Amino acid sequence: MSPATTLAPGGNPELDLFWLAPQLQSLRRARSQGRLPHALLIQDAPGAGGSQLALLAAQTALCTEPEAPCGHCRECLRVAARAHPDLWFLAPEEDSIQIKVAQVRELTDELTLTSHGSAASVAIIDPADMLTPSSANALLKTLEEPRAGVLIVLVAQVSARLPATVLSRCQRLQVRPPSRSECVAWLRERRGEGDWEAVLDVLGNAPLRALAAEPTQLRALRDETESHLTGALSGGLDIAPAAERWAQRDSFELRLLCAENWVTRRIAAQSAGAGSLTELHTATHLPAANSSMNIRGLIRLMDALYELRRLATTTINKSLAVEQLLWQLRAARKS
Ligand SMILES: [Zn+2]
């Protein structure tokens, strides 16, 4: 058994997620000492493999070999294929940004029954940030008095969204993405040469997202998005057709990321001229000589971008929402 195999829960050795080794090690240790928790909170970072770590945790609980997870027994393979009879997944239903109470109840009903012959029953709730307060409450009883052998794995990027009552019952595992240079080296090894720095500029240190990206296309997308933003700010952009392009399903979220980076750079440039954070929040206009937009407008724009990203998976009218965003940018122009 090679470490590459065990760190590739999807069964694809290309996915050697070396940075998850310490977390896997602590799962192994817990299992060998017979103290796997009943509830595990994986604190994920974007594109850093929290979902893969959740599968590794499920393998650790369900594997039948002494050195669990072995990665190759029947149980491990069924988990990797996401087709194990004692493994449940809970995520928002299509077109929703919430995990509903009814979904949680269905799961907790399943978890009170005995397993289908396995040593454990595992539920992966991913992303757990999408539990509503009532859904989280519906989960509490199972977290408090789980049947023996039940493991609930929550994967969350913003665990602060979960109620303290839930958090206090979970053991935590923090996912830390590899450093920038490790990320670039890892991507080169798998995908060959390419402008991976530019990819990571857009996506952040998110190795799994970057792995799926095409560097040349992503750069072109970034350049076009930035020219739209600059055009909207100067008043020279035909907003409706640009918004149509942004709304295209395959690139919408990437454009929002590019826009966030664009705004972040401008906020950083302007706040470099500001004396203090207080000034950053209260000043209507900052004295940066070349600024073409006030900092309050930039911060509002950033809020609007976050909100759009939050709604990206729903049925909102994306092109209308982008149009409003670009008009907001034009209106925020310093007169
Ligand atoms: Zn196994």
Side-chain angles (χ1 to χ4, degrees):
M1 174 195 61
S2 73
T5 314
T6 53
L7 284 171
N12 175 2
E14 281 296 291
L15 278 182
D16 172 17
L17 312 181
F18 66 90
W19 60 93
L20 298 181
Q23 291 83 352
L24 178 61
Q25 192 51 40
S26 74
L27 287 170
R28 280 185 190 286
R29 208 167 33 238
R31 149 109 188 212
S32 70
Q33 296 168 353
R35 48 171 191 82
L36 263 185
H38 290 296
L40 188 65
L41 170 65
I42 294 177
Q43 294 183 287
D44 199 11
S51 306
Q52 281 75 11
L53 184 59
L55 286 177
L56 287 167
Q59 287 182 327
T60 308
L62 290 162
C63 177
T64 47
E65 298 296 315
E67 289 277 303
C70 71
H72 54 68
C73 72
R74 187 179 71 152
E75 311 303 315
C76 283
L77 293 175
R78 282 159 127 190
V79 171
R82 300 167 67 94
H84 193 291
D86 286 308
L87 174 61
W88 285 271
F89 293 92
L90 201 54
E93 284 165 351
E94 208 175 327
D95 294 339
S96 174
I97 53 168
Q98 294 181 334
I99 297 175
K100 301 192 178 95
V101 181
Q103 291 177 266
V104 174
R105 294 222 170 101
E106 208 175 309
L107 173 74
T108 53
D109 285 351
E110 286 287 352
L111 290 177
T112 56
L113 305 172
T114 50
S115 71
H116 296 87
S118 315
S121 300
V122 183
I124 295 177
I125 305 180
D126 181 12
D129 325 49
M130 302 302 185
L131 286 165
T132 64
S134 348
S135 313
N137 268 332
L139 192 64
L140 258 188
K141 195 169 157 15
T142 312
L143 288 176
E144 282 165 355
E145 301 160 18
R147 174 171 62 72
V150 165
L151 168 62
I152 298 178
V153 185
L154 298 116
V155 184
Q157 285 186 20
V158 189
S159 56
R161 286 205 190 118
L162 291 164
T165 43
V166 167
L167 294 176
S168 66
R169 282 168 178 83
C170 296
Q171 219 173 81
R172 300 188 190 206
L173 269 186
Q174 175 101 41
V175 172
R176 288 189 182 80
S179 71
R180 177 86 169 209
S181 57
E182 284 173 329
C183 248
V184 170
W186 186 81
L187 289 162
R188 283 216 175 102
E189 220 173 277
R190 273 148 198 85
R191 296 279 312 280
E193 292 302 315
D195 193 350
W196 297 111
E197 293 281 352
V199 170
L200 297 177
D201 276 344
V202 174
L203 301 177
N205 264 13
L208 291 176
R209 285 204 76 184
L211 188 67
E214 282 305 328
T216 319
Q217 280 175 18
L218 192 60
R219 269 188 76 153
L221 189 81
R222 181 194 65 184
D223 293 349
E224 189 189 53
T225 304
E226 293 191 350
S227 84
H228 286 165
L229 291 164
T230 317
L233 191 57
S234 69
L237 178 74
D238 195 354
I239 285 182
E244 280 293 330
R245 282 184 67 69
W246 280 46
Q248 284 167 11
R249 199 185 180 87
D250 53 340
S251 60
F252 181 65
E253 285 190 75
L254 287 175
R255 288 205 191 255
L256 296 183
L257 274 179
C258 294
E260 277 175 32
N261 292 335
W262 185 89
V263 175
T264 305
R265 285 206 306 277
R266 265 148 196 81
I267 291 178
Q270 295 217 15
S271 54
S276 68
L277 269 182
T278 321
E279 200 178 341
L280 179 90
H281 287 298
T282 54
T284 310
H285 295 102
L286 288 171
N290 61 349
S291 63
S292 53
M293 192 178 171
N294 68 58
I295 204 138
R296 189 173 285 175
L298 284 167
I299 289 169
R300 267 197 217 111
L301 193 66
M302 193 58 127
D303 288 343
L305 281 165
Y306 283 149
E307 182 60 11
L308 254 186
R309 195 131 73 86
R310 201 177 68 79
L311 296 173
T313 53
T314 67
T315 51
I316 55 155
N317 183 331
K318 296 186 175 62
S319 104
L320 193 64
V322 173
E323 254 190 66
Q324 281 166 353
L325 186 88
L326 293 172
W327 280 114
Q328 184 186 339
L329 180 56
R330 184 172 292 187
R333 185 165 35 137
K334 229 171 161 179
S335 51

